[in-house]
Amino acid sequence: MEQAKTIEGVLLSGTMDLKTFYGLDFTGSGSPVRLFNPHEVSDPASIRFAVCWLPDDEAFARYPNMEMAMSVGAGVDALLANPSLAEETLVCRVRDPHQADLMAGYAAHEVLHFLRSFAQMKDHQGARAWNPLPMTPPKETRIAVLGNGTMGAAIARALAAMGYSVAVACRTQPEEPQAGISYHSGTGALDMACKGSRIAINVLPLTDETENILNRRLFNQLEAGAWLVQIGRGEHLHEADFTEALDNGQLAGATLDVFREEPLPENHPFWDDARLRITPHIASDSTPSVVAEQIRASAVELLQGKRPLLAIDRHQGY
Ligand code: GLV
């Protein structure tokens, strides 16, 4: 049988215009990869892959020959939870080093904001008070980074370069450990990384295993009066345990960028809590040119009958 020379895909998102946002124009003649909006698809059976961000529950139902669903972001949790995505469809994700750098910058900003007392400085400015506060050498501050994927590794590297004592919780020991970072893997990895840490930064993928992982047990491993930087997924946070830890002083406060419900509902108590710093899921974003290139490369691999390099392990959940 003659091999197909082109491969066709569809853009599926319930929240955004992917084609415009990422500049995904693959319709030019000569391109082996063709990408359409759903209303442009006349023969759904010809569609072999999808490019996705938060697709509607029924989004995949129309396409009987879907071989690959690719997230334009790092997280695949929403894709894996989609009820119309068939078990056998490969799931891929973008792996963007620039996105990881953005994430590292956000984390470093929040680390410094807390450790260098910038909130108090702002109050002092308001009171015209010249009031220097004590500081400690970074090496004496332990920071736990939960997760060692593209994001976690970039954050750990950046903080270690700033001199902090970084403890990473990871599933398996890295092949190329970075100097100055301690890695904790296997059972008890999270506890070990968090033990005595002044800050915990969460970038774990969301899976059945990691839901509600930011809970009383984990907070109690941290130094009293610690800070949480939550840039994973909203479902990682056990909200009742979190409120308890803020109220009993185990946590001094937290930076929250992700929430169970997004946008964060107007009546959610987090909005008014002065101990929290809230941002609207902007810790990082993938780079349009990287997204476009990785979609093209993955679709070409599929066309050539190869398993795309960016395919995740569905069993592991990331
Ligand atoms: C952002 O949340 C992403 O998954 O890339």
Side-chain angles (χ1 to χ4, degrees):
M1 199 175 78
E2 207 195 320
Q3 273 223 319
K5 292 190 179 59
T6 58
I7 182 162
E8 295 192 350
V10 66
L11 295 150
L12 299 177
S13 174
T15 61
M16 66 189 291
D17 175 354
L18 290 167
K19 196 172 204 161
T20 308
F21 192 85
Y22 290 103
L24 299 172
D25 187 10
F26 291 175
T27 43
S29 63
S31 167
V33 182
R34 321 202 98 225
L35 199 45
F36 304 98
N37 277 311
H39 68 269
E40 298 164 330
V41 175
S42 50
D43 175 17
S46 69
I47 296 296
R48 293 174 57 192
F49 75 99
V51 173
C52 316
W53 184 249
L54 303 181
D56 293 336
D57 279 0
E58 292 310 311
F60 295 97
R62 200 177 151 217
Y63 308 99
N65 298 317
M66 188 66 81
E67 292 170 51
M68 170 180 89
M70 176 146 191
S71 168
V72 292
V76 290
D77 44 291
L79 269 182
L80 294 177
N82 190 293
S84 62
L85 183 71
E87 278 284 311
E88 58 279 8
T89 305
L90 283 171
V91 172
C92 298
R93 49 158 288 183
V94 160
R95 198 180 288 278
D96 177 5
H98 309 301
Q99 182 178 13
D101 287 341
L102 284 170
M103 209 66 157
Y106 181 102
H109 183 273
E110 292 310 295
V111 162
L112 293 178
H113 191 273
F114 174 56
L115 294 175
R116 302 302 305 273
S117 312
F118 282 113
Q120 289 93 314
M121 294 294 165
K122 190 73 190 152
D123 291 345
H124 297 170
Q125 181 185 344
R128 296 173 179 266
W130 185 268
N131 191 4
L133 294 173
M135 57 189 87
T136 45
K139 195 145 195 53
E140 289 171 22
T141 301
R142 181 177 165 95
I143 300 178
V145 177
L146 315 181
N148 195 35
T150 313
M151 306 297 160
I155 293 169
R157 253 194 328 267
L159 296 176
M162 289 159 67
Y164 291 103
S165 294
V166 180
V168 170
C170 42
R171 182 182 280 259
T172 51
Q173 288 291 317
E175 279 168 23
E176 291 174 22
Q178 302 287 312
I181 298 176
S182 65
Y183 295 92
H184 305 273
S185 57
T187 322
L190 289 171
D191 284 0
M192 285 187 285
C194 287
K195 201 156 199 61
S197 286
R198 185 123 179 79
I199 298 180
I201 301 171
N202 175 46
V203 276
L204 288 166
L206 178 65
T207 65
D208 288 348
E209 263 176 77
T210 63
E211 184 164 2
N212 287 318
I213 206 84
L214 302 175
N215 56 27
R216 181 189 298 145
R217 181 197 164 90
L218 182 138
F219 301 141
N220 285 341
Q221 302 298 324
L222 300 170
E223 201 178 76
W227 192 270
L228 171 71
V229 180
Q230 157 59 330
I231 46 180
R233 285 289 186 260
E235 290 84 349
H236 285 132
L237 186 67
H238 190 294
E239 291 191 8
D241 286 5
F242 174 60
T243 306
E244 177 191 271
L246 288 169
D247 290 346
N248 68 21
Q250 183 57 27
L251 288 178
T255 303
L256 305 179
D257 184 55
V258 290
F259 303 89
R260 281 178 188 265
E261 190 180 342
E262 295 181 5
L264 183 63
E266 232 176 275
N267 61 356
H268 199 289
F270 285 172
W271 281 118
D272 295 323
D273 194 326
R275 300 165 295 190
L276 304 181
R277 287 166 58 77
I278 290 179
T279 52
H281 202 142
I282 49 76
S284 72
D285 208 347
S286 45
T287 317
S289 57
V290 173
V291 172
E293 189 37 48
Q294 294 190 355
I295 290 169
R296 192 190 303 273
S298 302
V300 167
E301 284 167 321
L302 205 64
L303 184 62
Q304 294 170 341
K306 297 181 191 157
R307 180 182 165 85
L309 281 171
L310 293 166
I312 59 119
D313 177 342
R314 283 190 76 143
H315 181 64
Q316 231 174 229
Y318 61 92

